[in-house]
Amino acid sequence: MPYFNFTQEIGEPDLVTEEILGIESEASFFLSTSAAEGLRSSRVADITGESSSSETFKSNYAKLPDYLKSCLDYSAIVCGRYGVEIGKLVRLLLAEGLIEDRPGDIMEDVAENVLKELIDLGMLQEERQGTVVKVPASYLRLCILQLEKQDFVSKTANSPVRLRIRDDGRDIYPNVEGLLLQSLFIISERRNSSFSSPRGLSRAYMRNVCSLHFLLVLDLDGRIECLPDELGDLIHLRYLGLYGSNLDELPGTLGNLKRLQTLDIRWCGKLRKLPIEILHIQQLRHLLMSDSINDCEIRVPKGIGTLVNLHTLSGIYGGDDIAIELIVLTQLRELGVKRVSDDHASELFAAIKKLENLTSLSLEAEGNYFEDTLFSIFPELDAFSPPPLLQEFFLRGGLIEMPVWFASMENLTRLTLSFSYLSENPTSVLQLLPKLKHLNLWEAYKARHIGKEFCNAGGFPALETLTIASGFLAEWTEIETGAFPRLRYLCFHNCGNLIFLPEGLQNISTLQDLCFYPWHPDLKRRLMGEENYKIEHVPHIWTFKNR
């Protein structure tokens, strides 16, 4: 059965519509190319004219097997021109039923492999250090067809429809009568210019949304006044996204959503706890909660360990005996814990060590104030040892020294050290990790000067992206020949005192992007003048000023 896609613009025209389709209207009707048999439509590529390259893109697209073509078409609808987080796209593909069930395989792995195939074919592009994907414009034009309104109306009878709404704050609910809405994406702008009293989508608006009883996906990006009890009527819902909604509570009727696979309540700055009814959603696989905002975490009800199908659990408080609950969540693959402190660290670390399927772990130390300065120190990390399959590790908090177990993390591909404030060089250990591709050192190292010891010849053999944020760093003197053999992205963030880039940078032939957020005037003068030879081989150089 074909999927129809309907974009409703309230206020300003959608930028995707403007850029890709070359039209400006309040309502645009689309159909995925792979489902467009027999419909009178205009292929977007035809609007701008054909070329030999576009013929190649069309040929590549036509050769795709159905399972790849349907996922690419869907990605084009979800990503638009801005891209989407890979994990989110995986969860949406599962909720939409676009991933074939393969006995013995984990569905998330199947979906990730599908996306990897599309990336390898050049039909999806990775951005932001491999965390986001987007559909290149050449394929975006092929995946989406613009329909005449009469075709859309006549052909959507009894066919599932995906609706995307970009609302500018006028709280106008679109007329969707007669449409079988299966997926609803709403981007909601702030309703009030006063930051102190922002409104959101009104209760009445949300009641209309909750009357769409056949929804599988409801993704709301922006502020909401409240979620009404009628949310519990969406009994078919598999995906509920409330990112940035600023809600302070969730209704108890949430527990009626027995088929829910994903609940995303990240960046809900006022939300502090979940209703106990969350325990009724036994099919829940992904529970994504607070990101780092005002150092808040979300308390989960006792018994969260009964949700044995959980694969993702992020933004939880490290206390309240959560360690006892974690021990039984043996299918967990992604875990994020906030406010880790001495009170519970030993029990928490012991539980995490037993999570043998864990591939992604985020730990944030509890913050304390001393003379009006916020600081945090990780407790008992020497006694910790990471699970063997861990691929992603995010560590936020002060470290006295680098834990010895870092050297054993042979499967690690992504590492972020935030506010570690180490006195010793962390890369003496990290450069030996064989699979590390992405490294973020965010106020991780207090050195003012670093030299060739930062990466020896052959060091960081797999590293592709390196971000350094340091208010201390003033000079990087030298890079050995043969260091960073695969580095393609180098970013200096908040390195306002950095005035020297290393000799030897010119030998990193793989480097594609060099970023400064911002850069020191003396550094700019050197690189634009006598030291331009260090960076002239880099295709893309990005600079941004502090506001």
Side-chain angles (χ1 to χ4, degrees), residues 17 30 99 111 133 136 140 144 157 167 178 185 197 375 424 447 545:
T17 302
F30 311 116
I99 301 300
V133 290
L140 194 60
I144 303 174
D167 185 271
F185 301 85
S197 58
F375 72 97
E424 63 173 314
K545 295 180 180 179

Side-chain angles (χ1 to χ4, degrees), residues 427-477:
T427 64
S428 59
V429 174
L430 301 180
Q431 64 179 291
L432 303 177
L433 298 179
K435 297 181 181 179
L436 187 62
K437 289 185 177 182
H438 308 284
L439 176 61
N440 291 291
L441 299 175
W442 198 274
E443 300 293 353
Y445 184 28
K446 292 192 297 185
R448 289 181 52 81
H449 304 274
I450 57 178
K452 61 183 181 181
E453 76 285 348
F454 194 76
C455 182
N456 299 323
F460 289 114
L463 196 69
E464 297 178 3
T465 71
L466 171 61
T467 297
I468 299 175
S470 173
F472 299 95
L473 184 62
E475 182 178 9
W476 187 352
T477 58

Side-chain angles (χ1 to χ4, degrees), residues 127-308:
E127 295 188 342
R128 300 184 193 176
Q129 304 179 52
T131 61
V132 168
V133 290
K134 66 183 296 186
V135 180
S138 300
Y139 286 110
L140 194 60
R141 296 185 180 100
L142 293 172
C143 295
I144 303 174
L145 298 180
Q146 182 189 350
L147 300 179
E148 302 289 346
K149 183 175 181 179
Q150 59 269 28
D151 282 335
F152 185 88
V153 173
S154 64
K155 296 294 183 179
T156 53
N158 300 317
S159 293
V161 173
R162 298 186 180 105
L163 172 60
R164 177 183 293 275
I165 300 172
R166 183 181 292 275
D167 185 271
D168 73 344
R170 289 185 285 170
D171 213 35
I172 301 174
Y173 187 74
N175 180 12
V176 295
E177 186 177 356
L179 295 179
L180 180 58
L181 286 184
Q182 191 160 306
S183 304
L184 177 59
F185 301 85
I186 302 177
I187 301 174
S188 170
E189 304 297 333
R190 184 179 294 157
R191 296 299 191 280
N192 192 310
S193 59
S194 170
F195 186 81
S196 62
S197 58
R199 297 178 59 218
L201 291 173
S202 67
R203 181 187 294 268
Y205 191 107
M206 291 308 302
R207 279 179 173 157
N208 283 325
V209 169
C210 293
S211 68
L212 304 172
H213 294 163
F214 294 99
L215 281 180
L216 298 181
V217 170
L218 175 57
D219 188 35
L220 303 167
D221 187 347
R223 296 181 184 272
I224 305 169
E225 282 189 359
C226 72
L227 273 182
D229 289 339
E230 289 84 349
L231 176 71
D233 296 337
L234 302 178
I235 59 174
H236 300 285
L237 203 63
R238 298 175 187 168
Y239 183 103
L240 178 57
L242 301 170
Y243 188 96
S245 60
N246 212 40
L247 292 167
D248 56 8
E249 65 176 351
L250 299 176
T253 54
L254 179 71
N256 294 349
L257 309 182
K258 300 296 196 301
R259 300 180 184 180
L260 197 66
Q261 300 171 355
T262 295
L263 176 60
D264 186 349
I265 48 176
R266 291 174 294 173
W267 291 96
C268 292
K270 296 181 179 179
L271 193 62
R272 295 293 181 271
K273 64 179 182 178
L274 295 181
I276 194 170
E277 289 84 0
I278 190 80
L279 303 181
H280 299 163
I281 312 176
Q282 289 294 308
Q283 292 189 33
L284 194 64
R285 297 171 72 88
H286 305 283
L287 178 53
L288 299 99
M289 299 187 287
S290 62
D291 283 336
S292 291
I293 178 170
N294 297 327
D295 200 35
C296 298
E297 76 291 331
I298 292 181
R299 307 290 179 108
V300 294
K302 186 175 182 180
I304 197 73
T306 62
L307 300 181
V308 294

